[in-house]
Amino acid sequence: MWLAGFVERLAEDGERPAPRAFVKAVPSVAGAEGPDTGLAALVGRGDPLTDLVDLRALPEYPCGVGWEPYFSTLHGTADTSGSDVQFRLVGDGRALLLRSVVSGDFLGRPVRRHASPEDAPHRAVAELRALAEEFPSYVALEAGSADSVMDGWSVPVPEDVRVVLREIGSVAVTGLPTLWLRPGVAELDVDPELHRMLGGDGTYWPLAGVRYGRGSALVQIRIDPGVGQWGYAVSVPADPAALRKYPEVKLLAESPADLLLDLVRRVRRAAAGPDFAARITGVTQWLFPNTGEPWPRPTPVSAWAGSTDPLLAAAVAELPDGAYAADLREVPLPSDLCFHRVREWPYTARLDRLHFPAGGRLAAAVPVPG
């Protein structure tokens, strides 16, 4: 009915009536994970950069929508300023989806992420095994490590991580770099200068070396050494000279288990098409920094002075003047954090080190003094 009225108004001559009522767009992830099963069926899994408008019971007509895109063009753009918005009606007009296509602009507001399953470690093991059984020519799993072996590793291994590492020692997918879930692998040797720039012993756990084009990157889990928590999965350029000149980080997942669950989803999508070898290339791109994901805007850490957020306040106290950081708790997964693209980052500045408070919930770049 509302759609028919909309068409009639478009055909009318003269000035169109102003909306008398407004409804707010909400994150599609909230709709997908909320109690309304009808709405969840319309939006599927949802997407962090897509909002939805429930059109099933509008208050009156004409009705406006209260919404803003996730990208921002304020304070300059990062590159091309090519962001756009895609509109799509679903469910025979029962819901409107508004997707922010972020291209060349910084993010402007927080997103709603998918909730991590409470049983994510167990689910990751089960789904990896199912994937290997379904596609034995593409996927191979190595046996895990005993608790007595993990007890001797250089970092504490909490129980939620042991659930995965007891069962799986590596994940090898044809066309992808192997994800190693145990130490002592030559492919994970880290350049000493890169090791220093990443924080040194106990602050990260290497998972994979990635080559994409002419570059190389190191996928790792950031660790909070204070509490022994394994936190966010990130990818960082593996060449110290490149990282020093162009400091950047890709945020991949909130935990090791979430990274593996995302890997399973991506490999399944690649295997669903006719040319697995060509389609799997996009998964390699996912593991590499600065390959087209949204850009959170780094900010001078000094801008957080006086914050009541304990994590932000601690960053102000711990980091030196001139450091830039981004709060990664409410950005899309994946995201590309490119410190060198923010206008305020000095063109001649060179990175001294990266800092990842609270296991990667923040990411900071500390330039060389002077």
Side-chain angles (χ1 to χ4, degrees), residues 269 310 315 328:
R269 285 201 296 267
L328 301 183

Side-chain angles (χ1 to χ4, degrees), residues 278-321:
R279 294 164 68 92
I280 203 67
T281 302
V283 182
T284 302
Q285 184 176 350
W286 160 62
L287 293 170
F288 204 83
N290 197 11
T291 49
E293 304 300 344
W295 289 326
R297 187 192 297 273
T299 184
V301 173
S302 59
W304 294 337
S307 173
T308 57
D309 185 307
L311 191 54
L312 303 185
V316 174
E318 295 172 6
L319 293 169
D321 291 341

Side-chain angles (χ1 to χ4, degrees), residues 146-167:
D147 282 293
S148 58
V149 174
M150 287 187 274
D151 290 341
W153 290 358
S154 60
V155 296
V157 186
E159 177 58 27
D160 61 323
V161 178
R162 288 180 184 241
V163 167
V164 177
L165 272 54
R166 286 188 192 109
E167 305 299 327

Side-chain angles (χ1 to χ4, degrees), residues 27 48-51 68-72 100 106-112:
L49 291 172
T50 300
D51 286 349
E68 61 178 302
Y70 282 98
F71 54 83
S72 172
S100 295
F106 289 114
L107 291 167
R109 62 188 180 99
V111 306
R112 168 70 179 265

Side-chain angles (χ1 to χ4, degrees), residues 118-145:
E118 292 185 5
D119 62 342
H122 294 280
R123 186 176 298 186
V125 171
E127 293 199 15
L128 281 169
R129 286 178 170 167
L131 187 71
E133 289 179 6
E134 188 174 350
F135 304 104
S137 59
Y138 297 149
V139 183
L141 306 178
E142 182 184 61
S145 303

Side-chain angles (χ1 to χ4, degrees), residues 165-200:
L165 272 54
R166 286 188 192 109
E167 305 299 327
I168 299 173
S170 70
V171 182
V173 178
T174 301
L176 293 183
T178 299
L179 283 180
W180 297 99
L181 306 181
R182 60 176 177 80
V185 180
E187 291 91 330
L188 299 181
D189 289 344
V190 180
D191 178 277
E193 175 61 8
L194 178 65
H195 180 67
R196 183 197 68 79
M197 295 168 75
L198 294 178

Side-chain angles (χ1 to χ4, degrees), residues 48-49 51 67-74 76-77 81-87 98-111 294-295 297 332:
L49 291 172
D51 286 349
W67 178 79
E68 61 178 302
Y70 282 98
F71 54 83
S72 172
T73 56
L74 297 177
T77 61
S81 188
S83 299
D84 200 357
V85 178
Q86 294 177 344
F87 305 84
L98 303 163
R99 180 171 181 261
S100 295
V101 182
V102 185
S103 176
D105 295 306
F106 289 114
L107 291 167
R109 62 188 180 99
V111 306
W295 289 326
R297 187 192 297 273

